[in-house]
């Protein structure tokens, strides 16, 4: 293959050339999976005018899972992520004589480009797509006790990760925001019963999402304390959600501290093991 051909392939298809080089050398880079499992607990502030004009305050709890792995193409520069969260909130009205519950499930997949401007610091920026489904429930309402929620969004996402040490203890600090840009979401008309939807009134249920009618920002700040192969993860999770459509206003604000475990896992063929010359590419930094 001529040098000119290699140069053209490098400019047009850098991932293909990288894969070809790895194949020619007979050894592909190893891409361990980074995963973290955490539980979170904090405060919740809910409002949904489909159910009530009052604001409700209470507690928030949830289970969170994140997974990162370098991409198969250009693994030094690209990484992918999977983020799942299940949350339950219990809130009370100002008079403390009515309760509103919230249950939400979300799942998001994204891909980000990485830069390493200085030693120990990694910056990443990319996009993701996610789905969210759940409901708010008010024990006080009769005809309309629940308000269903559902959305599919396309998001901007990224992270900043910094490796440092506290004494002799290695620590990885990481901040990841997720900002939905567009998508679609579910919302009935003001006062429309779900029984009417069941009977066939499906007009005006799905709406195009943009920052004018649906704004959401998910913040995740974590510190991984590397005691060994398994790390202790401490963090903060804050979510801002606000929507207004069909004269229905919904707010969900949560703040929570989280604790869990994290670590890197690598699948290895026991008959081959790991070569002493193998290159290992971390999923985050």
């Amino acid at each position: 293959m001529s040098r000119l051909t290699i140069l053209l392939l490098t400019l047009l298809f850098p991932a293909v050339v990288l894969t070809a080089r790895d194949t020619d050398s007979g050894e592909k880079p190893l891409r361990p999976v980074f995963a973290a499992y955490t539980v979170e607990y904090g405060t919740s502030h809910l409002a949904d005018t489909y159910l009530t004009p009052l604001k409700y305050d209470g507690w928030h709890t949830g289970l969170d899972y994140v997974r990162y792995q370098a991409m198969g193409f250009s693994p030094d520069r690209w990484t992918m992520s999977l983020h799942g969260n299940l949350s339950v909130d219990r809130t009370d009205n100002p008079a403390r004589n009515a309760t509103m519950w919230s249950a939400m499930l979300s799942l998001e997949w994204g891909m980000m480009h990485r830069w390493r401007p200085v030693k120990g610091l990694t910056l990443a920026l990319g996009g993701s797509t996610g789905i969210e489904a759940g409901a708010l429930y008010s024990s006080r309402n009769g005809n309309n006790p629940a308000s269903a929620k559902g959305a599919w969004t396309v998001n901007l996402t990224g992270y900043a990760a910094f490796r440092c040490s506290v004494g002799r203890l290695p620590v990885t600090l990481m901040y990841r925001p997720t900002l939905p840009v567009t998508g679609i979401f579910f919302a009935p008309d003001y006062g429309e019963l779900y029984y009417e939807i069941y009977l066939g009134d499906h007009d005006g249920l799905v709406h195009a999402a943009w920052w004018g009618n649906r704004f959401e920002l998910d913040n995740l700040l974590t510190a991984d304390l590397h005691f060994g192969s398994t790390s202790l993860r401490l963090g903060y999770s804050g979510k801002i959600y606000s929507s207004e459509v069909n004269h229905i206003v919904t707010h969900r604000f949560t703040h929570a501290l989280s604790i869990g475990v994290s670590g890197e896992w690598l699948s290895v063929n026991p008959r081959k093991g790991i070569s002493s010359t193998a290159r290992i590419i971390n999923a985050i930094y």
Side-chain angles (χ1 to χ4, degrees), residues 82-85 105-109 129-132:
L82 180 67
H83 183 198
N85 184 273
L105 175 65
S106 63
L107 189 64
E108 173 200 353
W109 182 88
T129 182
I131 56 174
E132 183 180 56

Side-chain angles (χ1 to χ4, degrees), residues 218-251:
D218 194 358
N219 297 283
L220 185 61
L221 178 64
T222 59
D224 292 300
L225 311 181
H226 305 292
F227 292 102
S229 57
T230 302
S231 304
L232 173 66
R233 167 163 281 206
L234 304 174
Y236 162 80
S237 174
K239 188 167 187 177
I240 300 172
Y241 175 91
S242 178
S243 67
E244 182 175 0
V245 66
N246 291 345
H247 306 291
I248 298 174
V249 177
T250 302
H251 296 309

